[in-house]
Amino acid sequence: MQERVKQRIALNTYFFLSGLTFATWASRIPSIKTYFNFNEAELGTILLAMPISSIIGLPVSGWLISKYNSRGPLVVAFVCFALALIAIGFVTTPFLLVASICVFSFFMRILNISMNTQSITLQKKYEKRIVGSFHGLWSTGGLVGVGFSTLMVKLNIGMPVHLMVVSIVTLVCSIVAYFFTLTNDKAPSGNKLILGKPDAFILYLGLLVFFAALCEGGMFDWSGVYFKEVVKAEVFTYGYLIFMTFMALSRFFSDRLVELLGMPKTFAISAVSVAIGILISIIWPYFWPALFGFCLVGFGTASVFPMAFSLAGTSQKYSAGMAISIISTYGTIGMLIGPPMVGYLAHAFGLRYAFFVFVFSGLMLIPISRLFFNRK
């Protein structure tokens, strides 16, 4: 087997495991809300811990990637990531919950930067586009995670047992995959952050990632709660499951879609799909219309991150790892603002109307992508 094929399989494994582990956590947020008896505002405040610790992890990840090859930080972060998931399942106080979430998010940021840096480097060994397929594997892992979570909920399996099983699988597979990942991928230049006037190339990409993260992060954290409390679905993970299904399927075809239509049109189609999907779920908050709406949102959010990270790898100012680290900061801020904002708006006006935030965020992809492609 060719070396690049082994490297691609190993990296596919990491993307899959990352999606599996994150979806396991996100699908259990309603269970955490019930266990601690949080209201929407309290849950929103607890969820703030995740993006805040992620922001702390960004400069650390950028420094690690600039100083070492990406495979070392990747495997260490995955081990700590899995152990933090176990801790979340066993905590009994809000303080310990926040502490576990912080560790979970901190190492998730390091592994995400490491994985995406490897994907941009490996792309150079292939003529056809492959970056979207990695994100498709992430979404597939998320889909499997939500499906397994749905089974655990239906069988009334306790959250500690559920999270421990997923963590053990993640630990074993991530250590095995480590031995086949890319080596010697440290960039020789462009590894230092340059302060001063914002670079338009990075700024517009960052804003695209910001609004995409606001939508995607909000769906991760609130789709289950929406189906439980607004749609009144007995199995609350169905909304999250269908969202992840369509995002996963769409990401496998995102590279082909970009080659067929071009990135400008793909960004516009993504924006309209997100807005229409959320509006359908708001106007008709019933099981089948909401399910269809979440399908459209999954399709709309699928291509944005792969396109943005792929474009970041072409930066003339920064190395791929540093460019991804910078624009990921915008995404983390979107994650920071989005879920808590939805929580506070839901507490004030109801969760159904709080989802208008995602309509606005989705539509913002159109003017920002136009500015990016017309910047010259």
Side-chain angles (χ1 to χ4, degrees), residues 22 212-222 243 305 334-335 338-339 358:
F22 181 80
L214 201 153
C215 292
E216 197 170 312
M219 291 298 291
F220 289 151
D221 289 354
W222 288 103
F243 166 73
F305 272 88
M335 294 268 186
F358 304 139

Side-chain angles (χ1 to χ4, degrees), residues 148-167:
F148 187 61
S149 297
T150 302
L151 178 63
M152 294 295 99
V153 171
K154 293 193 72 171
L155 296 177
N156 292 317
I157 303 297
M159 187 168 62
V161 174
H162 174 201
L163 300 192
M164 180 176 289
V165 169
V166 173
S167 297

Side-chain angles (χ1 to χ4, degrees), residues 162-183:
H162 174 201
L163 300 192
M164 180 176 289
V165 169
V166 173
S167 297
I168 292 173
V169 171
T170 299
L171 282 168
V172 173
C173 294
S174 63
I175 292 172
V176 172
Y178 165 77
F179 297 100
F180 302 97
T181 51
L182 278 164
T183 58

Side-chain angles (χ1 to χ4, degrees), residues 72-89:
L74 178 58
V75 70
V76 172
F78 249 104
V79 170
C80 297
F81 182 56
L83 294 176
L85 183 66
I86 294 177
I88 290 173

Side-chain angles (χ1 to χ4, degrees), residues 93-364:
T93 67
F95 174 79
L96 292 176
L97 175 64
V98 170
S100 300
I101 291 173
C102 285
V103 175
F104 182 79
S105 180
F106 179 85
F107 286 103
M108 181 176 70
R109 179 53 54 199
I110 294 175
L111 68 89
N112 279 339
I113 300 299
S114 302
M115 285 192 310
N116 282 290
T117 299
Q118 288 233 338
S119 73
I120 297 301
T121 305
L122 188 58
Q123 172 68 79
K124 298 174 182 177
K125 297 185 178 184
Y126 287 82
E127 293 181 2
K128 65 177 183 178
R129 294 177 57 85
I130 62 171
V131 173
S133 67
F134 291 122
H135 291 266
L137 262 296
W138 188 93
S139 299
T140 302
L143 177 61
V144 173
V146 178
F148 187 61
S149 297
T150 302
L151 178 63
M152 294 295 99
V153 171
K154 293 193 72 171
L155 296 177
N156 292 317
I157 303 297
M159 187 168 62
V161 174
H162 174 201
L163 300 192
M164 180 176 289
V165 169
V166 173
S167 297
I168 292 173
V169 171
T170 299
L171 282 168
V172 173
C173 294
S174 63
I175 292 172
V176 172
Y178 165 77
F179 297 100
F180 302 97
T181 51
L182 278 164
T183 58
N184 301 319
D185 63 341
K186 177 185 174 183
S189 61
N191 292 318
K192 293 184 179 180
L193 178 64
I194 302 173
L195 301 177
K197 183 180 178 180
D199 179 37
F201 181 91
I202 296 294
L203 175 63
Y204 292 141
L205 279 182
L207 289 175
L208 287 169
V209 169
F210 168 81
F211 285 108
L214 201 153
C215 292
E216 197 170 312
M219 291 298 291
F220 289 151
D221 289 354
W222 288 103
S223 59
V225 180
Y226 191 88
F227 257 67
K228 183 178 182 179
E229 299 185 1
V230 177
V231 179
K232 306 295 184 183
E234 183 178 351
V235 182
F236 56 79
T237 54
Y238 281 151
Y240 190 17
L241 180 62
I242 200 68
F243 166 73
M244 290 296 296
T245 299
F246 271 76
M247 187 165 67
L249 291 174
S250 300
R251 278 180 168 167
F252 283 112
F253 295 100
S254 64
D255 290 327
R256 187 175 300 177
L257 185 65
V258 170
E259 290 177 353
L260 180 66
L261 301 177
M263 286 192 182
K265 289 183 180 179
T266 305
F267 273 117
I269 291 171
S270 297
V272 172
S273 181
V274 170
I276 292 176
I278 293 294
L279 283 173
I280 289 174
S281 303
I282 293 172
I283 296 171
W284 295 286
Y286 312 108
F287 184 79
W288 290 111
L291 210 62
F292 176 67
F294 278 30
C295 291
L296 291 179
V297 178
F299 170 77
T301 55
S303 300
V304 180
F305 272 88
M307 287 192 294
F309 286 147
S310 180
L311 288 167
T314 66
S315 173
Q316 300 297 312
K317 188 174 182 179
Y318 295 107
S319 66
M322 183 55 70
I324 291 171
S325 180
I326 294 171
I327 68 170
S328 293
T329 305
Y330 289 83
T332 302
I333 294 172
M335 294 268 186
L336 172 65
I337 294 174
M341 180 191 298
V342 172
Y344 298 137
L345 290 174
H347 188 63
F349 305 107
L351 185 58
R352 180 181 173 188
Y353 299 106
F355 265 46
F356 274 108
V357 169
F358 304 139
V359 177
F360 171 79
S361 299
L363 291 176
M364 284 301 294

